[in-house]
Amino acid sequence: MTARSFPLRRPPRRLTVGVLVAVGLLVSFVWFGLGGAAPATVGPGATEQGQGADVGEATPTYWVWASTQIWHIPTPVPGAASVTAAIPTLLPVTSASYRINPSTAGNVSVRWSFTESTTGSLATELELRFTDGLSRPAVLETVYLETQATHPTAALTFTLYWDAGSFGPSGVTIQTMQVDVLVCTSVGHCP
């Protein structure tokens, strides 16, 4: 009789509790990460090019965050939005643009667009807190805007630019984008 060789059979592998916990945590992080991000367009134009690690918003229903994009500071450079709660920038009855930090035409920027609905609160001060984190530590900017004394006849778009400096658009790494729009109790009395 000749000896036949048979392949060795390994006993079936059993998943350890540690592996199951690690997989569960990974699935949870992905699930909450995808569900917790607010919709935002981030890229060098109108099409989506990427997504930040933390993109979020908190805004009143009549002041909607429409988009966030990597852009350039336009020429001419928009006027500055107020950084003083007691003297907010009064919004015009037409769409407009503002800058939220010292800016130079042509520099890479983060462009935030908001839509004001026709049913918003009248003559109300809004405190906008922006957190922008690109290829350097995050920057916090706060500006103050005041809605019109009469309702606009159509939804308006207000665009705010944050000058990110002189880095090239392809070299910007987005780490965080956050905006909080808070409604002040009265002019100069903000959270």
Side-chain angles (χ1 to χ4, degrees):
M1 241 178 140
T2 61
R4 287 181 64 186
S5 64
F6 293 99
L8 293 175
R9 295 191 108 201
R10 288 185 173 172
R13 287 187 176 181
R14 295 179 189 215
L15 292 178
T16 64
V17 172
V19 170
L20 290 174
V21 168
V23 169
L25 284 173
L26 179 62
V27 168
S28 296
F29 286 134
V30 169
W31 179 261
F32 287 113
L34 291 174
T41 302
V42 179
T47 58
E48 186 172 338
Q49 298 294 322
Q51 176 177 331
D54 178 21
V55 180
E57 72 169 316
T59 61
T61 57
Y62 58 87
W63 184 267
V64 179
W65 179 16
S67 67
T68 300
Q69 298 169 314
I70 300 298
W71 210 258
H72 287 89
I73 298 293
T75 303
V77 175
S82 175
V83 294
T84 307
I87 310 168
T89 299
L90 182 59
L91 296 173
V93 295
T94 60
S95 297
S97 296
Y98 299 95
R99 60 184 166 85
I100 63 174
N101 68 334
S103 301
T104 302
N107 273 2
V108 173
S109 72
V110 177
R111 182 176 91 162
W112 301 79
S113 293
F114 297 90
T115 302
E116 181 186 20
S117 74
T118 58
T119 60
S121 294
L122 300 176
T124 300
E125 184 174 9
L126 302 173
E127 177 179 293
L128 283 74
R129 297 177 184 172
F130 298 93
T131 304
D132 294 300
L134 299 178
S135 301
R136 58 185 181 193
V139 174
L140 175 64
E141 298 284 344
T142 302
V143 296
Y144 301 90
L145 306 175
E146 184 179 347
T147 61
Q148 305 83 4
T150 59
H151 287 292
T153 56
L156 300 175
T157 300
F158 294 100
T159 305
L160 293 104
Y161 292 89
W162 174 72
D163 190 325
S166 58
F167 2 13
S170 63
V172 175
T173 301
I174 298 167
Q175 297 174 7
T176 185
M177 292 286 172
Q178 179 73 33
V179 62
D180 294 305
V181 181
L182 307 168
V183 178
C184 304
T185 55
S186 63
V187 172
H189 295 91
C190 295

